[in-house]
Amino acid sequence: MASYPSLFSTGFCHPPDPLFPGEPDAKCFNQMMGWIKSWFNVLPLDQAIFQLRHECLPERAAAISFDDGYADNRAVALPILQRHKLTATFFIATGFLDGGRMWNDSIIESVRACRKPILDLQPVDLGAYQVGTCQEKRAAIAAIIAKVKYRAIRERIELTSRIATLANVSLPTDLMMSSRQVKEMREAGMQIGAHTVSHPILASIDLAEARYEMSESKIFLENLLGERVTLFAYPNGKPGLDYLKEHVTLAQEIGLMPQCQRRWVAREWCRSVSGAPFTPWDRSRMRFGVRLLSNLRDNS
C-alpha cells in the first residue's frame, strides 16, 4: 500500500478568543505539535511531494502547512515549531501583506467590534442580524461570510467596506504578516508558498485573471525571497467548486506545484501530488489520534 503524507493545514494562533472558543490557542498548538512530533515523520512539503511522486515516502509521513499569511504565524507559530524542531509551509496571499486584511477578517472584525444590538446590513442586501452576544455574533459572521464568499473580488471588497461603515467600526491593520516577517520565516527554515494575490475563488473568475492571481503571487514572493517559489495552495481548495482542472493546468504552466487541499483532491486530479490535508482541532490526545487514524483509513 502506498504511503501518503498527512497534510495538517492549520491557521489559528490567537490567545483564547471568546468569539471563537473552539479554535486552538498557542498552548493547544504546542501540545498538538508535540503529539505530531512523536507520531510522525514530519517532512518539508516539497520533500514530501517529491518522495510521494517517486513512491519512497517513509512510514507515517506528514507535512504541516498554514494558509494566508497571518501575523500570528510569525509571532506564535514559528517559536513553537522551532521548539519542536519542526518545519512547516506557509502559503501567502501576497496582496494582504504589510497592513492589508482578508475580506473575511473584515467581516469578522466588523461584527466583533459592533456595539449595536442589531447589525442592519439591509442597505447592501445582506439582511439584519442580532449581535448582542458572542453566540449571536458567531451566527451573524457565518451567515454574512456565506453570502459574500463567492462574489467577485471587487464586489467583496466593496461589500466588506460598507459592512464596516454600517457597523460603525474601525478595522485592524495588523492581522497579516509584513514582508519582513515573511522573509524572517524563510530565514528560520520554514517554506513559503504562493496562495494568489487576493485569495479569489478561482472558479469564479476568468482564466486570465486567475493566471494573474497565481503568477503575481509567485513573482512577488520570488522577488522578496530571492529564490524560486514553486509551492502553491488553491484558495478554499474544493475541486470542482473553488477551482477547476484548467487551474491545475495553469499552475503547471506557471511553474507552481500545488499543495492540493481538502481530502477530495487526493482521490481525483492531484492524487499524484498530495495525500489528505485536513485540520485537526481535537483537544485530547486520544481524540486527536483517532481523527488521524480515521483520516488515513478514509484515504488509503
Side-chain angles (χ1 to χ4, degrees), residues 191-209:
Q191 295 194 319
I192 304 297
H195 196 40
T196 73
V197 176
S198 60
H199 205 275
I201 303 300
L202 293 174
S204 70
I205 61 179
D206 62 42
L207 275 180
E209 191 171 6

Side-chain angles (χ1 to χ4, degrees), residues 48-60:
I49 292 173
F50 177 86
Q51 290 182 293
L52 175 61
R53 285 175 167 168
H54 290 80
E55 299 184 355
C56 59
L57 270 176
E59 292 298 317
R60 296 175 290 108

